[in-house]
Each structure stands twice: as C-alpha cells, then as structure tokens.
Amino acid sequence: MGGCFSDVKGGQQAVSAEAPTAASAGGAAAQQELNDAVGYFLHSRGLRGLVTALELSLSASKLRNLDVLSKSDPLAVLYAKKHDGMLEEVGRTEVVMNNLSPAWITKFTVNYQFEIVQQLVIRVYDVDTKYHNVPVKALNLNEQDFLGEASCTISEIVTKPNRSLTLNLQQKIGHSGSYSGTVTLHAEETVTSRIAAEIIFRCSKLENKDVFSKSDPFLRISKVAESGISVPICKTEVINNNVNPVWKSLTLSMQQFGSKENPLIIECFNFNVIGKHDHLGMLQTSIAELEKHGREKTGAHFYVQSASRPDIKKVLKGQLFVESFIEKTQHSFLDYISSGFELNFMIAIDFTASNGDPRLPSSLHFIDPSGRLNSYQQAIMGVGEVIQFYDSDRKFPAWGFGGRISYGSVSHCFNLNGSLEESEVLGVEGIMSAYAMALHNVALSGPTLFGPVINKAADIASRSLSTCPNKYYVLLIITDGVITDLQETKDAIVKASDLPMSILIVGVGGADYKEMEILDADNGKRLESSTDRVATRDIVQFVPMRDMQGSQVSVVQSLLEELPGQFLSYMRCRDIKPLAARAAGPSAPPLF
C-alpha cells in the first residue's frame, strides 16, 4: 500500500467513504439526501424520475512524480460537463500521501439517465506539502501542480462488463496529446437500505515495526465488488505507539458494505509519514462474520500472502477483535422532514458603523431605489426563501446587533421590528420589511459581538426541547467585519453544540475573515471553550460572499451544504427517530 488517506493532520485521521458534499447535478450536498429529496418532490406531484443512482470510485496508476524528496500527493476532482460546455464541480477526493497509484476512498454519487449523454471530467492534482492541513474543499486548485485530465460519459462506464473504465490522463487541460498515467472509474448501483453497523475494533500482538518505539497502527477496510475489484470504503485513525490498539467507533452503512455477506478485506498498517506504510497483515471477512466475532468475543488472525504464491498464507500472531457491534437504522434527512420535523429560521444582522452610512450608495446597507438588492438583502432572500418552507408558521425571530437603538444605548441583540417584546416577523417579506425599517430607526455603531445573539438563539432552542422536540433551529448571521468577542463567541458555540441548532455566517464586504474561519471547524478540529470544553459537533458554516463571486456554486449552496449533515449528527447522536409518518409533506420543493 502506498499512501494514507486524510484531509488533515498529515494523514492520521479516520476517513469514511460517504459521498462528498458538493453542489451539482451529478453530486450534490449530502447527495443521497438530494436523491431522496428529488424523489420525494417528484412523487408528491405524481411524477417518477427515471434515474439510477450510481456510486463512483476513483483510482489512478503511474502518475507523474513532481516531488523531489518524496512522491506526489494526489487529489482527484470530478466535474460534470453541462450543456453549455461549462464544468460544474461534483466533489473532491481526499489527498493520498506519497503515492503514484492511489485508490481514493471518497466516493461520488451521480444520477445515471439512459436518455441523456452525461459527460464527466476528472482532473488530478499534486497537493503541495504546505497545504496538507488545509481541508480539500478549501484548496485553491490553481496553486496545486496539475497531473492530468481525462473525460468520459457515464454510459461508457456502465456499459463495461465490470463497470470499470480506465482512461489516459492528458498532461494539458482541454488538449489531446501526451499522456502521463491513467485514471480508473468504477461504478456501482447504490443500496438504499438504511441499515448500518457501528463497530469498535481492537487488535492484539501486532508486529512492532519501529526501532525506538512501537508500531503506529491503523486499519483500512475495503469492499470486494462483484467484478472482484477491491474498493476502499474507510480507514480508522492512527493509534500511535501501540501494538494492542483500540480504535474509535466507526459506522459502516449498507451503501458502503453492500450486504452482510459481501466480502470485506481488512488490512492493518504501521503508519509512516513518508507514505510507505508497513503492512502488518490482512484478513478477509464480512459484516456477518464481524457481528459473530463481536457476539462470541472471538478474534481473527491476520495473515500475509506470499508475493510469488498468493494462495499461500502465513498466519500471524496479531489478531483483530470486535469490541462492540451495534446494528442500527440510519434515517435520512428526508425521513425526519417528511415525518413532521421542522427547520426554524432565525436571523441576526450587523448594524455596526463599518458598514457605512446607509444613505450613501457606497454603504453595504444602501437600499437601491431601483430594486437592486444589497449583499444583506441577497443573503436574507437566498437562505430565507429556501428554509421558510420547512417552518409551518413561518414566524422568524429577527435581531440586529451593534446598533444604537432609539430608546437606549448600543445593543448587541435588539429586535429588528422595533418591538420591545416580540422578535418574530412573518416570512421573508417580514424580515426584509423590518430590516428596511431598522435602517431608519437604528444608528450604526459597534463593536461587532456575536455572543449575545448566539446565546439568544440558543436559549430559544433550549426551551423548545421540552415543548417542541421536532424543531431544529438555523441561525443566519450576516456581518461585514471581524468579531471582537472571539472567545465569548467560541464559548457560545460550544454551548450551543449540544442543542438542535446550526449557525450560518455570511461575510459581506472586504474584511479579513481569517478569525471567522476558525469558527467553522472544517479543518477537522472542533472548537474549545475557555474552560477547555470541546464542542459536541460542528454546527457552524461560514462563507465570505466575495469568495463566491464568479463561482459556479452560489452563496446559498455553500451555506446550506453542511446543514443536512449537522441536522443528522444531532438526531443520530441522541438516538432521535423520525416521527410517525404523516400524509402531508412540505409545501415546496425539498431543501437539498
């Protein structure tokens, strides 16, 4: 095996093969949820979508080596080619360290339609060492070394006997000519079952490969496809300096393992930072056998195969044990929404002086008489119009912060409608009206504090736990500047991470938002409070509006792409099930 699979922490973190969160016709935010939502939308109107959901796996061979002291660190990007010839990004794989023949774990879900020619483009890049701890979706591809490009149609893949298609990589974008290496696409029909297995693995008596310490083991699990191809589906985190490791629990969905009897290959490796990991053994098993090992508390010995005689196996002392095996049902986002769960929208708007005088066209708060929306209005309309259909009464708490209200001093959480008691307004139109009115009645001031509005929203979410347990709250904060209460904001977010709540932040204007990006735990590190308490889960999504200008992905798509996952993480970690199915569903197209 060559590389180790991860976005962050030098390849030592666990990686799952869940479909990426990217917005496109072929692979969209929480793609399986998108497929469910599209189906629900069509079925609710008596229509049937004639599509087949496919899961695409990517691997490559004989890539160019552009690194001097090591090998290339390849990343693959999948695009769908639109009718106008423009490319729409479907998603990105993880980075595989020091490997010229990577088999990426990240999968892409695409909808195959027989009657449409669906073109795909694959581009492979060598990620520079200084970007190894940057989340893949945040990488600027122009700053990475281009390794090659290939293109095909989905029809070409599915018509192959084993649904695998190998393509030559062209060294120049959009040009045929010299080739360097190949990329292989493998397609499988997705399994819609919601059965999943939560497993805790441990090992004993692993071989020690390190001289001055013990081995640093991790497991890689692969599925054996019908064609006989071994497809990686996940890996554990690395346990340092331990030949008897116990890994954190991991969850394998039926979409990943296929069926309980489907063969799985589990390999154990000793992690090496250079990418050439020591093989500590392998074994073939299945979910059914792993369940039996967990029930009977028995282990399975690893073995190594002879290079010249693969049929000859040497059994090793090292064993794999299943410390815990729990079969569970993983409900989809749509299961909850269609059963009566609601998304309740809340909004907080920045009224600090750095926005500029609202009477001047240069102000971020300037309301154009021609009807052209300013950045605040665009964010309100974009997010509000999507989420409002998932709130039955469409009454939204709306606040402002950093403004001097007419009846007092500077407030960091005041009701946008001017009321002393009631913060709710009716619909997106109500938010837009209250916002325009507040610009006439509130003097812009400062500083920029997020803590008070987050705590206010969290208080509402907390009180709903006993009265309305089927509600999940979404707070949209629109701001033009850097916050001055970073630690207080972290404390508020960590506290809110225990609640049914997500926070969307839109940055408008040209401020330096580096500190804001800390709040969005996309680097894999959860926020910590001033008392060293770690956030239960990631609940923040931050998007600077300027970064999305000219992008094929809208601000709204970028903001909402993580919301289904955050919603599901809350429901699943608290074992909250969907309500009894209701006849009536949402009154508008599903969210994702």
Side-chain angles (χ1 to χ4, degrees):
M1 176 196 176
C4 184
F5 310 80
S6 185
D7 296 343
V8 295
K9 210 176 179 180
Q12 296 192 46
Q13 291 196 347
V15 177
S16 171
E18 295 296 327
T21 53
S24 84
Q31 179 65 46
Q32 185 57 48
E33 308 307 330
L34 173 66
N35 297 340
D36 289 346
V38 169
Y40 181 90
F41 175 56
L42 294 172
H43 292 180
S44 67
R45 288 154 176 77
L47 303 174
R48 295 293 182 269
L50 301 178
V51 299
T52 300
L54 298 177
E55 184 183 76
L56 292 183
S57 304
L58 300 182
S59 60
S61 179
K62 299 180 181 179
L63 297 176
R64 286 186 295 158
N65 187 16
L66 300 183
D67 294 348
V68 178
L69 301 178
S70 60
K71 297 177 182 178
S72 293
D73 305 317
L75 159 81
V77 184
L78 182 68
Y79 298 89
K81 195 169 188 178
K82 301 168 70 175
H83 295 299
D84 58 5
M86 298 294 291
L87 297 183
E88 187 170 20
E89 185 174 318
V90 175
R92 304 178 181 188
T93 66
E94 75 282 6
V95 178
V96 179
M97 315 286 280
N98 296 293
N99 198 321
L100 302 183
S101 297
W104 290 284
I105 288 180
T106 303
K107 305 295 184 286
F108 305 94
T109 302
V110 299
N111 287 328
Y112 164 61
Q113 292 181 262
F114 173 80
E115 68 275 18
I116 298 177
V117 177
Q118 297 166 281
Q119 293 185 315
L120 301 175
V121 175
I122 307 95
R123 290 177 180 170
V124 182
Y125 297 86
D126 174 24
V127 176
D128 194 272
T129 304
K130 64 184 178 182
Y131 298 108
H132 283 179
N133 286 328
V134 177
V136 290
K137 72 176 185 179
L139 288 173
N140 184 339
L141 297 179
N142 293 326
E143 296 175 347
Q144 315 307 321
D145 295 319
F146 180 74
L147 293 178
E149 176 190 88
S151 60
C152 67
T153 65
I154 296 180
S155 300
E156 290 179 272
I157 304 172
V158 299
T159 52
K160 295 294 181 183
N162 61 357
R163 293 182 183 171
S164 290
L165 177 67
T166 299
L167 304 165
N168 290 322
L169 287 168
Q170 301 174 9
Q171 291 188 19
K172 292 185 178 180
I173 293 178
H175 295 83
S176 59
S178 58
Y179 301 102
S180 184
T182 63
V183 63
T184 298
L185 297 90
H186 176 70
E188 290 188 70
E189 288 189 39
T190 61
V191 180
T192 57
S193 173
R194 287 163 168 75
I195 295 175
E198 185 179 280
I199 308 171
I200 297 178
F201 288 109
R202 70 176 177 89
C203 283
S204 68
K205 300 180 180 179
L206 294 176
E207 184 180 358
N208 186 19
K209 292 284 188 178
D210 294 344
V211 178
F212 299 107
S213 61
K214 298 178 181 178
S215 293
D216 306 318
F218 68 92
L219 299 176
R220 184 179 75 167
I221 303 175
S222 300
K223 171 178 63 177
V224 179
E226 290 182 8
S227 60
I229 295 174
S230 180
V231 180
I233 57 176
C234 73
K235 85 168 188 71
T236 66
E237 74 280 9
V238 174
I239 302 291
N240 291 319
N241 197 32
N242 195 330
V243 294
N244 298 291
V246 179
W247 288 278
K248 296 177 181 178
S249 66
L250 57 84
T251 299
L252 295 175
S253 66
M254 186 172 280
Q255 182 175 344
Q256 291 173 284
F257 59 75
S259 73
K260 282 192 171 185
E261 287 69 37
N262 197 83
L264 299 177
I265 302 294
I266 300 181
E267 300 168 281
C268 189
F269 296 91
N270 173 41
F271 179 84
N272 282 313
V273 70
I274 62 173
K276 190 174 182 180
H277 308 303
D278 303 310
H279 194 257
L280 300 179
M282 64 182 292
L283 57 86
Q284 181 167 316
T285 184
S286 66
I287 290 294
E289 289 182 15
L290 292 174
E291 185 177 17
K292 183 179 179 182
H293 284 307
R295 184 172 60 250
E296 299 180 356
K297 302 301 179 184
T298 56
H301 283 276
F302 288 108
Y303 59 80
V304 292
Q305 291 177 316
S306 169
S308 57
R309 292 280 305 276
D311 56 317
I312 298 178
K313 301 174 182 178
K314 179 184 176 181
V315 179
L316 305 175
K317 290 182 180 179
Q319 285 186 280
L320 176 73
F321 293 87
V322 176
E323 192 78 0
S324 171
F325 185 102
I326 301 174
E327 186 175 297
K328 54 169 51 173
T329 299
Q330 282 196 324
H331 296 285
S332 71
F333 176 73
L334 192 66
D335 287 336
Y336 290 92
I337 296 301
S338 61
S339 75
F341 277 77
E342 296 188 356
L343 300 178
N344 289 77
F345 185 41
M346 304 181 284
I347 188 168
I349 297 175
D350 186 336
F351 278 78
T352 56
S354 54
N355 283 281
D357 188 337
R359 295 170 296 181
L360 302 177
S362 59
S363 172
L364 292 169
H365 278 310
F366 178 71
I367 295 183
D368 195 328
S370 69
R372 185 167 178 258
L373 301 180
N374 65 34
S375 296
Y376 284 88
Q377 291 172 313
Q378 290 175 37
I380 293 169
M381 292 291 291
V383 177
E385 286 192 332
V386 172
I387 295 183
Q388 68 172 337
F389 296 107
Y390 297 85
D391 188 332
S392 59
D393 64 10
R394 301 188 185 183
K395 293 180 179 179
F396 309 137
W399 304 292
F401 59 92
R404 187 179 301 277
I405 51 183
S406 57
Y407 46 83
S409 58
V410 175
S411 173
H412 301 292
C413 185
F414 57 88
N415 295 334
L416 201 61
N417 59 10
S419 170
L420 294 176
E421 304 295 334
E422 185 55 62
S423 64
E424 291 184 337
V425 297
L426 185 59
V428 175
E429 301 81 5
I431 299 175
M432 295 288 278
S433 176
Y435 166 61
M437 180 179 67
L439 290 176
H440 293 289
N441 300 328
V442 177
L444 305 191
S445 185
T448 305
L449 307 181
F450 281 6
V453 292
I454 294 176
N455 285 328
K456 182 70 172 180
D459 182 59
I460 293 175
S462 178
R463 284 188 276 115
S464 76
L465 291 174
S466 58
T467 58
C468 303
N470 65 325
K471 291 184 180 293
Y472 189 89
Y473 292 85
V474 181
L475 171 63
L476 172 64
I477 300 176
I478 315 174
T479 183
D480 85 309
V482 179
I483 56 175
T484 54
D485 65 337
L486 181 60
Q487 189 56 60
E488 290 80 2
T489 297
K490 286 183 179 180
D491 291 345
I493 292 172
V494 170
K495 183 179 178 181
S497 68
D498 286 328
L499 299 170
M501 176 176 166
S502 288
I503 302 170
L504 312 175
I505 305 174
V506 178
V508 298
D512 182 354
Y513 288 115
K514 286 184 179 179
E515 283 192 346
M516 205 79 73
E517 292 169 353
I518 297 173
L519 305 179
D520 189 340
D522 280 346
N523 62 358
K525 184 178 179 181
R526 292 180 182 174
L527 289 179
E528 293 185 16
S529 70
S530 55
T531 58
D532 297 327
R533 183 186 170 203
V534 179
T536 306
R537 57 198 179 92
D538 174 23
I539 65 170
V540 177
Q541 177 73 342
F542 169 70
V543 176
M545 187 172 281
R546 65 167 182 261
D547 289 359
M548 307 309 298
Q549 292 176 354
S551 171
Q552 295 175 353
V553 179
S554 71
V555 172
V556 175
Q557 286 175 311
S558 297
L559 273 175
L560 297 177
E561 66 178 359
E562 293 185 7
L563 186 55
Q566 293 175 357
F567 175 95
L568 288 173
S569 71
Y570 177 82
M571 299 300 165
R572 288 171 179 172
C573 72
R574 284 158 181 76
D575 198 29
I576 300 174
K577 302 293 193 299
L579 305 172
R582 298 180 182 179
S587 57
L591 183 53
F592 300 98

